[in-house]
Amino acid sequence: MNPHDFTWIFALGIVGSISDAFGIGANDVANSFASSVSSGSLTLAQACIIAIFTEFLGAFLLGSNTSETIKGGILSVELFAPQPEILMLGMLCALVGSAVWVIYASKKGIPVSTTHSIVGAIMGVGIAAFGGGAIQWGYSGVAKIITSWFVSPVAAGIVTSIIYLPTRYLILENPNSLERGIKAIPIYFFFTSLIGAFYIIYKGAPGTDASSMSVGVIVGISVGVAVAVTAFSWVFFVKWLRRRVIGKENIRWYHLPVVHFVKYRPMPEPVVEQSTEVSSELEGGGEIDGKMHAGAKDFSDEADCEADADAQANEVEGSSKYSPAAIVKRLKYYALRGIKKDVRNLGNKKLANVHAAARKFDDDTEYLFSFLQVITACLASFSHGSNDVANAAGPIASIYDIWKTAKVDISGKAPVPLWILAMAGVSIDIGLITFGYHVMRRLGNGVTYLSPSRGFSAELGTSLTVLTASKIGLPVSTTHCITGAITAIGLCNGNFRALNWKMLMWCFLSWVITLPIAGLVGGLLFAFGSNAPNKLF
């Protein structure tokens, strides 16, 4: 092989990488924000706007400049050294195999691990190329992945319960829960910012100087950040909450730094009108549940989607269905309809018994936790973008490196150019915006009833579990952790009926079949391509 041979593999690899990153956004990122959107702390549109910045910046600024050639060390890269072009083909087939399964699972609303998907696809390629003996089946390979199916949800569930239960019994169930909640908010900000700062520095910044810092230095920086955030919340945010929630004043988020100097602002008289937009819980103040059905429009039927798109296109005065103005309007509708979905499932009759079994608490007290949940969602998304972007960027980086050099780097590492990180980051954002609502709809309130306090506990518990498990070497998956955390929240109601067990069984089944399905697609594609005739005459 010579440099720049097999350009067609490189070109198709870019398409495969974009597709895989699209699936990551539609599935992995979507399940990260599912609890925030389902609890009402964020609307779907707000979550997408936040993710556009946090995911892309995490991927582009903090994404690792090197990546494992074979994800997870499941297969020795030295096997491909004699024929570098075979590794190019293998990575292409792995990308396609992973993308096919993740996008299909996203369409069905099933949360799966995108990391396990790409590993499974590479396993299929390895078996097709060298047989089953080439795969690492022990704890350093496949057995570690299987262990994560059980360790991840159980560990996250335990940590989440430790966070949520004291909150419930000491604050939410207290007759004076609102006052207790306001006094406790700075404490929650301290631990949230401490864990978030430590998570980003320690886990979310590969390739930076943070990787060479000692744990003590990282802890010191994190404590400093936490103290500063806590002081700000104590001086400004507590005052803002008292005026906003207790005093029912019409003060906005931008009044926060000057809240001590803002004069009394009474709430305007309510205007009764029909709104077709999803209201903003953060702007509305309190009464999270009271605004859950605020004009959220659900186009679950694709036929209705098409009819609505045509209707909007025909609204253009004096234009036909196929005029440029109507086409542009229809394209805009399809591009943005993914953020206008009702993903909260609060009016779903099939889930009515599940939601009714969960205990409800004071709306104003729940509102206090909305801000904390937004912070945990942002931190988790930023760190996710910096780490999981390698699932889509790693294989194409390997293809690109071989295409340029015509050889395999037996060190097992491939350089990742900035343009690949940017490409993957943009594709992740597009996947979330256009397709992420499927997973959000199923994973959030589709599993159990979520409120801001519950969602905050689940997200913080997941982040803490992933951070701790990574440090001590336990195999965990973010997708599995958030599912286990939400399950624990449901169990904390003390009623088994507060959980949608059917959905949970589907989730676990999808984890089990991810490896074989992605491996089957990737392996069959590789077997077809590597054994096909290479001469026409």
Side-chain angles (χ1 to χ4, degrees):
M1 176 184 175
N2 296 315
H4 299 158
D5 282 350
F6 302 100
T7 302
W8 65 272
I9 295 181
F10 174 46
L12 290 180
I14 292 177
V15 177
S17 180
I18 291 174
S19 301
D20 200 34
F22 177 91
I24 292 173
N27 204 294
D28 247 15
V29 181
N31 67 54
S32 296
F33 277 96
S35 57
S36 296
V37 176
S38 296
S39 68
S41 295
L42 290 171
T43 64
L44 180 55
Q46 289 170 339
C48 289
I49 292 172
I50 290 173
I52 286 175
F53 294 97
T54 55
E55 288 287 333
F56 178 80
L57 292 177
F60 186 73
L61 299 178
L62 297 181
S64 178
N65 54 14
T66 61
S67 176
E68 289 180 290
T69 303
I70 304 294
K71 185 72 177 178
I74 205 80
L75 182 68
S76 176
V77 70
E78 295 180 0
L79 296 171
F80 295 94
Q83 288 184 285
E85 64 272 20
I86 296 298
L87 181 56
M88 290 180 67
L89 178 63
M91 292 298 100
L92 170 61
C93 296
L95 282 170
V96 174
S98 175
V100 167
W101 168 240
V102 173
I103 292 176
Y104 175 80
S106 301
K107 173 64 177 176
K108 297 299 181 181
I110 301 174
V112 297
S113 171
T114 55
T115 300
H116 291 180
S117 183
I118 190 66
V119 169
I122 291 175
M123 283 178 57
V125 169
I127 292 173
F130 306 106
I135 304 298
Q136 296 288 339
W137 297 102
Y139 189 76
S140 60
V142 179
K144 191 172 186 178
I145 293 174
I146 295 175
T147 303
S148 72
W149 298 343
F150 305 95
V151 172
S152 297
V154 172
I158 293 173
V159 175
T160 298
S161 300
I162 293 173
I163 296 172
Y164 176 68
L165 288 177
T167 301
R168 173 181 171 176
Y169 290 118
L170 297 179
I171 297 177
L172 298 174
E173 291 191 355
N174 190 276
N176 194 17
S177 61
L178 181 57
E179 183 63 29
R180 279 201 173 191
I182 290 178
K183 290 180 179 179
I185 278 295
I187 300 175
Y188 281 98
F189 265 101
F190 176 82
F191 286 106
T192 301
S193 55
L194 175 67
I195 294 171
F198 193 95
Y199 188 90
I200 287 180
I201 298 172
Y202 177 76
K203 186 69 167 64
T208 67
D209 292 339
S211 59
S212 61
M213 292 182 183
S214 65
V215 175
V217 173
I218 297 177
V219 169
I221 296 175
S222 302
V223 170
V225 172
V227 169
V229 171
T230 303
F232 181 86
S233 67
W234 186 272
V235 175
F236 297 101
F237 189 60
V238 168
K239 179 67 173 179
W240 187 92
L241 284 175
R242 289 189 180 278
R243 296 184 62 177
R244 176 70 175 177
V245 182
I246 297 179
K248 304 297 181 183
E249 291 188 48
N250 184 29
I251 56 174
R252 301 295 182 177
W253 62 268
Y254 46 80
H255 293 132
L256 191 59
V258 292
V259 66
H260 292 279
F261 306 100
V262 176
K263 296 181 179 180
Y264 176 75
R265 295 170 57 91
M267 281 288 185
E269 292 295 327
V271 178
V272 179
E273 62 177 347
Q274 296 295 325
S275 173
T276 58
E277 299 295 327
V278 179
S279 64
S280 169
E281 282 75 13
L282 292 182
E283 286 295 318
E287 300 189 0
I288 294 292
D289 290 336
K291 296 178 286 186
M292 286 178 173
H293 305 283
K297 200 171 184 180
D298 183 8
F299 296 107
S300 57
D301 187 353
E302 294 300 326
D304 292 342
C305 291
E306 183 69 32
D308 194 81
D310 291 340
Q312 290 194 27
N314 291 332
E315 288 177 4
V316 181
E317 184 177 356
S319 65
S320 68
K321 182 177 179 179
Y322 300 103
S323 67
I327 292 175
V328 169
K329 192 162 188 175
R330 189 179 294 108
L331 290 175
K332 180 181 178 181
Y333 167 79
Y334 280 117
L336 298 179
R337 72 186 181 96
I339 65 174
K340 297 179 180 179
K341 299 288 185 178
D342 174 21
V343 300
R344 303 194 63 187
N345 263 332
L346 294 172
N348 192 330
K349 295 180 180 179
K350 296 180 180 179
L351 298 172
N353 292 333
V354 173
H355 294 169
R359 183 171 179 182
K360 312 302 190 297
F361 301 104
D362 179 67
D363 289 338
D364 286 338
T365 307
E366 290 281 6
Y367 178 69
L368 304 179
F369 292 90
S370 298
F371 303 92
L372 291 166
Q373 193 177 9
V374 171
I375 294 174
T376 55
C378 292
L379 293 173
S381 176
F382 190 78
S383 185
H384 175 273
S386 67
N387 286 277
D388 284 17
V389 69
N391 294 335
I396 186 60
S398 300
I399 294 174
Y400 178 61
D401 186 54
I402 295 172
W403 179 74
K404 285 200 312 178
T405 63
K407 62 182 180 180
V408 175
D409 188 348
I410 60 174
S411 68
K413 296 288 185 179
V416 183
L418 287 178
W419 68 267
I420 290 181
L421 293 175
M423 178 185 70
V426 171
S427 302
I428 287 173
D429 289 338
I430 294 175
L432 173 66
I433 294 171
T434 59
F435 224 56
Y437 65 91
H438 291 289
V439 171
M440 287 190 188
R441 180 181 292 160
R442 290 289 186 91
L443 186 59
N445 287 318
V447 174
T448 189
Y449 174 79
L450 287 178
S451 61
S453 63
R454 293 174 168 96
F456 159 73
S457 301
E459 289 180 356
L460 188 61
T462 296
S463 298
L464 189 56
T465 302
V466 172
L467 176 64
T468 306
S470 300
K471 175 61 179 176
I472 63 180
L474 289 177
V476 294
S477 164
T478 304
T479 300
H480 302 170
C481 283
I482 189 64
T483 304
I486 292 176
T487 302
I489 290 296
L491 291 174
C492 285
N493 288 296
N495 190 341
F496 281 91
R497 294 181 180 179
L499 280 168
N500 183 358
W501 293 102
K502 182 179 179 180
M503 179 60 191
L504 289 175
M505 291 301 103
W506 273 111
C507 288
F508 185 78
L509 178 62
S510 70
W511 301 347
V512 174
I513 64 177
T514 290
L515 286 179
I517 290 182
L520 185 64
V521 176
L524 288 176
L525 287 174
F526 180 83
F528 176 80
S530 61
N531 292 291
N534 57 9
K535 297 289 184 181
L536 291 178
F537 303 101

